[in-house]
Amino acid sequence: MIPINIVGGRGLVFDLDHVKVLREKYHVCGTLIGILPQIPQQNVFMGLPLELMPEDIELLVFDLKVAYLVDDSEAHKQAVSKFTKEDAKEVRAERHRQEQEQFERHKDVMWERRVAALEIKRRKEQEKEKKRLEKLKSEKRDGTEQDQVVANGDQAGPVEPAPPRIPETETTKASHQEPATDSRDNLTSANTEKQGKVTVTTTIKTEGNIETEREVKVEIIEKTERIESEEEKNSADEEVISLEKQRWLEKTFPESQQITGGTVTIPSVTTPTNSSLKTYKPLAVQESFFVPRPSKASYNIYKELHKKGFFLTPGLRFGGQFVAYPGDPLRFHSHHIAIGFNWDQEFAVLDIVGGGRLGTAVKKCWVVGAEDSGCDVKEEDKYRIFSVEWAGFG
Amino acid sequence: MSSRNFQRSVTTALDVMAIEDRVAENLVHQHLWTNLKSLNIRAAESNIVICTGVPPAKLHPDDYEISEEYVLPVRTEQNWTVHQWACVFDGIKEATNAEASPRRVVMAMVTEDSTIVYYFVNNGLIRPRKN
């Protein structure tokens, strides 16, 4: 059974599954009238709820009996006033279950993302550290070189001026370049450096402050070791990683968010969109409850066309009561503009001219029908329907 | 909308000449129909005069061949009912002793300004023409 909520005299369907069933099984399309929260400034593409025509309601509720009416206002009142602690508990449990479900769906991806992010961060830091060490080293070398230049002033070969000292804050592009004179000075250093090991002993020949040099040396060695050890840790076995993951999961999604008793605050009011909650029951119809019922004339033609397999939508666009589609409106063009009358109900001849001309202009037939009110008519001949088209001349 | 608002003069050409005659004349001279005749049919409590005739070409692309058409003259000031249409179709069947009522009649709407427009009224639901 599909609930149809009556809100201000209009029949609305709030559940997408019900909308599907209505469309696929009962050929009832309705009109989506809700705005889309993501794009509220337009009214071309609409979302839930689905508004039904009175004829749709008549068919589903009173004829096929596959839907029932819900007094929406009353349902809200009852949902609020009859909401017990047990209900609250249930709601919370349901929410918790949904959260867990969602978490189960996403945790692996989240963990992978986290690992990837950490890896990137670690690499960046490592890179930075390497560059700093390099720079430190080249600074040391600069000192040595200058001394040498002074010492061997008459030396042949390309002796370039030492690269300028790069302040700590500057981008490290320049520090990538090895000084041209480097190869001559310390080949060992250049080679080992690529493996992340820096041996400084050979490079330091200056007569500067011995203390500082030692400090630098120690620092460089220490850092290098650290980088190496980190790389080792990187290839640690999976057991450690899974342990790490477990710890992270427990921290991020504590299972201990259990539903405890304590003070029960009423959560957000049950909305019609949440039909899974048990407040959905056919309610006693209140006196103020107004259900839109169609006129006999319009329902008769609706039913006649629906019986023949047509999908019917509101017809005002084309000056009729209904527009009839031979299949789902998303796949077919409509063929008929339909209007239902009573057997002896008069309409102007000029309406036939107007309807026929408009219909022909939009490749449709202007269809008019009525049920024979005579009593000696066979059931199958009772409904008479006529299709009007411009004759093509005059 | 009351169609009576469209009535412009008290005495019109329509009062001088019966509308079935005006329609017949229009069909013969403007639309080159042939073999125009009139046919009296019983419709509910009254008589209706309709015209029969043969158009010079097929009226509808889906027509199998040129055949005799039934033309129902009405005035634009009139009102109409579904019941009347049913009577016309049933009446033609009766008047012609045919096995079934015709598939369609051509409804001729006559104004007092010399314009006559023609509409197909099909018995039952049909698909709109393709072109």
Side-chain angles (χ1 to χ4, degrees), chain A residues 55-235:
Chain A
E55 291 80 9
D56 294 328
I57 297 171
E58 190 75 17
L59 177 83
L60 295 165
V61 177
F62 301 103
D63 235 328
L64 302 178
K65 297 184 168 63
V66 295
Y68 61 93
L69 298 169
V70 175
D71 185 340
D72 197 75
S73 146
E74 198 55 34
H76 270 84
K77 276 185 217 153
Q78 292 195 15
V80 175
S81 63
K82 296 188 174 170
F83 200 80
T84 61
K85 287 185 178 185
E86 277 64 43
D87 290 334
K89 219 169 177 177
E90 217 172 281
V91 169
R92 283 183 179 193
E94 174 66 13
R95 267 191 208 162
H96 182 71
R97 198 188 57 74
Q98 283 175 5
E99 261 173 29
Q100 289 299 321
E101 221 178 72
Q102 208 171 354
F103 160 57
E104 282 299 322
R105 271 205 304 276
H106 297 299
K107 65 176 181 185
D108 286 334
V109 180
M110 281 173 77
W111 169 250
E112 273 159 32
R113 271 192 212 152
R114 184 182 153 78
V115 166
L118 284 175
E119 177 63 19
I120 289 167
K121 199 179 158 198
R122 198 185 62 79
R123 276 184 197 283
K124 272 184 185 163
E125 270 168 13
Q126 204 173 309
E127 196 72 15
K128 221 164 136 190
E129 195 54 40
K130 263 187 189 172
K131 276 169 189 162
R132 204 176 74 79
L133 292 177
E134 229 168 76
K135 203 192 296 163
L136 219 63
K137 205 178 67 188
S138 71
E139 273 168 20
K140 275 286 125 202
R141 212 176 291 140
D142 288 350
T144 320
E145 204 150 284
Q146 267 173 354
D147 289 343
Q148 282 184 345
V149 171
V150 171
N152 322 316
D154 57 338
Q155 198 185 346
V159 178
E160 284 167 26
R165 284 175 173 243
I166 301 145
E168 196 74 22
T169 48
E170 210 167 294
T171 43
T172 50
K173 212 197 249 176
S175 64
H176 263 304
Q177 303 162 347
E178 296 275 25
T181 50
D182 199 63
S183 56
R184 192 161 42 83
D185 252 359
N186 38 37
L187 272 167
T188 41
S189 163
N191 283 337
T192 49
E193 196 182 68
K194 274 170 194 157
Q195 297 156 6
K197 290 176 187 169
V198 187
T199 325
V200 238
T201 34
T202 50
T203 58
I204 300 161
K205 290 175 188 166
T206 49
E207 295 142 32
N209 193 336
I210 305 260
E211 271 306 297
T212 352
E213 272 166 20
R214 277 215 188 109
E215 270 172 28
V216 168
K217 187 172 135 193
V218 168
E219 196 193 350
I220 286 170
I221 288 165
E222 268 179 7
K223 294 279 174 166
T224 313
E225 274 170 1
R226 198 161 54 195
I227 286 168
E228 276 167 4
S229 72
E230 256 176 50
E231 271 166 4
E232 265 168 37
K233 200 168 35 174
N234 202 21
S235 61

Side-chain angles (χ1 to χ4, degrees), chain B residues 20-74:
Chain B
E20 56 268 24
D21 295 338
R22 285 176 58 83
V23 169
E25 212 165 63
N26 181 262
L27 285 171
V28 167
H29 293 113
Q30 190 175 349
H31 302 296
L32 310 176
W33 283 35
T34 51
N35 208 12
L36 265 292
K37 289 173 197 154
S38 65
L39 181 67
N40 281 296
I41 57 167
R42 287 290 303 167
E45 293 94 42
S46 59
N47 285 311
I48 295 179
V49 184
I50 65 164
C51 308
T52 64
V54 180
K58 285 197 289 182
L59 288 185
H60 193 282
D62 292 349
D63 285 353
Y64 178 64
E65 56 180 5
I66 301 171
S67 58
E68 187 174 56
E69 302 284 342
Y70 299 92
V71 183
L72 167 66
V74 292

